[in-house]
């Protein structure tokens, strides 16, 4: 009968899919952690600027158009990194699915 062999093959395929899913989730978590760090830094900077202005001492040195341009560019870079990480996750999932399908085809040929 095919049942034990089919169950074993199905179990192996599910293990591959689970591994690919965990890898993609880990990569996504790393990207989200980087984004959280960037947002925390930005929040700290904004709150510091506000406290400085409200103290009546004026704007902190080095702020203005230049630093705002840097902040904007940092946000763009972070957004693009997240997009790349999502594409990497999608590609990893597609590769895992491709491996599974090829394994199924190869198994079907050998029967």
């Amino acid at each position: 009968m095919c049942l034990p062999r089919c169950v074993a093959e199905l179990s192996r395929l599910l293990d591959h899919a689970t591994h690919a899913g965990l890898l993609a989730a880990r990569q996504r978590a790393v990207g989200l952690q980087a984004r959280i760090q960037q947002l925390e830094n930005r929040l700290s900077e904004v709150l510091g600027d506000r406290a400085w202005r409200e103290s009546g001492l004026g704007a902190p040195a080095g702020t203005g158009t230049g630093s705002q341009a840097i902040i904007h560019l940092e946000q763009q870079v972070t957004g693009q990194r997240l997009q790349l990480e999502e594409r990497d996750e999608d590609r990893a999932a597609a590769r895992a699915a491709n491996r599974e399908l090829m394994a199924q085809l190869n198994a079907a040929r050998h029967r």
Side-chain angles (χ1 to χ4, degrees):
M1 278 195 154
C2 171
L3 187 59
R5 190 174 49 216
C6 292
V7 168
E9 181 68 17
L10 180 59
S11 176
R12 189 180 64 76
L13 291 174
L14 288 174
D15 287 344
H16 286 296
T18 301
H19 179 70
L22 288 173
L23 181 61
R26 185 176 297 131
Q27 290 172 344
R28 179 87 172 124
V30 168
L32 290 173
Q33 182 60 37
R35 178 67 175 154
I36 288 169
Q37 183 65 45
Q38 191 263 339
L39 290 172
E40 286 175 345
N41 290 341
R42 178 68 181 123
L43 177 61
S44 176
E45 183 178 321
V46 167
L47 291 175
D49 288 349
R50 179 183 295 167
W52 187 267
R53 279 191 307 276
E54 289 175 0
S55 72
L57 299 173
T63 61
T65 308
S67 64
Q68 288 187 7
I70 291 170
I71 292 167
H72 178 69
L73 291 172
E74 286 174 345
Q75 290 172 346
Q76 284 182 336
V77 167
T78 301
Q80 290 174 351
R81 281 186 183 147
L82 289 174
Q83 288 176 353
L84 286 173
E85 289 170 5
E86 288 174 5
R87 288 179 188 166
D88 287 344
E89 292 169 9
D90 292 344
R91 193 171 51 228
R95 284 182 182 148
N98 187 32
R99 282 191 299 273
E100 291 174 30
L101 291 173
M102 291 305 294
Q104 289 174 0
L105 286 173
N106 289 335
R109 286 184 193 160
H110 294 353
R111 289 182 190 166

